[in-house]
Amino acid sequence: MARRHRLIRVSPSAVWDVLADGHRYAEWVVGTAQSEPVRGQWPRKDAAIRFQVRLGPLRLANETVVRHCEEGVALELEAHAGVLGTARIAIELRPWGDQCLVIVDEHPLQGAGGRLHNVGFDALIQLRHRTMLARLARLCESPVRDAPHLAPVSSAAPGVEGAGHA
């Protein structure tokens, strides 16, 4: 199980604002090229985001589903990664003075990732988490945090609720 933490120099609510914006998922999750909400209202339970992973000229579409949400406190996701299987990603926000301690816990659930899971695999996830938490911190701590992100991706599917807060 890969577990990592980072102290981010803003309040937990400021971190939650970034996590709760489904269009910003690809800005902080390592390996994703773009994202868009496809079901429900992100980050409510059972809401889903479709994201792309680019491997050279290949573009693979995958999905992440919210399995548990405590607004402003915890977000548990199930990431579907095609033949690699699925993974559980739990993100916890703890007030730390006037800052936020973010704890990420990830482990494979099913598929090849689950069968191949070992200490070496956890080391790779740790590297990914370090980068992911650095990106999240940069987004949250940026003085232009509230400005619209550079490349918004709007949901093209009719009837899909946008990326709101739970």
Side-chain angles (χ1 to χ4, degrees):
M1 186 175 344
R3 189 171 166 97
R4 189 159 195 94
H5 65 275
R6 179 170 178 140
L7 188 63
I8 298 181
R9 296 180 314 241
V10 296
S11 69
S13 66
V15 175
W16 184 259
D17 287 345
V18 173
L19 296 178
D21 184 342
H23 293 289
R24 299 194 80 178
Y25 184 84
E27 293 180 50
W28 58 272
V29 175
V30 174
T32 58
Q34 58 183 171
S35 62
E36 63 179 340
V38 291
R39 256 190 337 273
Q41 187 173 357
W42 187 267
R44 290 186 178 154
K45 186 175 184 235
D46 296 325
I49 283 180
R50 180 182 304 122
F51 63 93
Q52 266 190 16
V53 175
R54 291 184 186 153
L55 300 170
L58 294 175
R59 293 180 188 210
L60 307 172
N62 293 302
E63 187 174 274
T64 295
V65 178
V66 176
R67 295 299 182 205
H68 176 77
C69 175
E70 288 180 56
E71 186 173 351
V73 176
L75 186 61
E76 291 189 35
L77 308 171
E78 183 175 351
H80 299 261
V83 296
L84 294 177
T86 64
R88 172 192 173 264
I89 301 125
I91 304 166
E92 181 182 350
L93 307 181
R94 290 187 187 171
W96 202 261
D98 59 354
Q99 299 177 1
C100 181
L101 180 62
V102 180
I103 302 164
V104 179
D105 176 2
E106 178 176 351
H107 64 270
L109 291 174
Q110 301 173 17
R115 288 189 300 277
L116 301 173
H117 187 225
N118 58 36
V119 174
F121 194 72
D122 275 348
L124 291 174
I125 294 173
Q126 286 285 348
L127 292 172
R128 180 175 174 264
H129 285 175
R130 182 171 44 197
T131 303
M132 183 175 77
L133 287 168
R135 286 181 179 183
L136 183 60
R138 192 169 38 254
L139 287 170
C140 295
E141 294 171 351
S142 168
V144 293
R145 186 182 90 238
D146 297 325
H149 41 90
L150 297 176
V153 179
S154 63
S155 174
V160 173
E161 297 174 28
H165 298 263

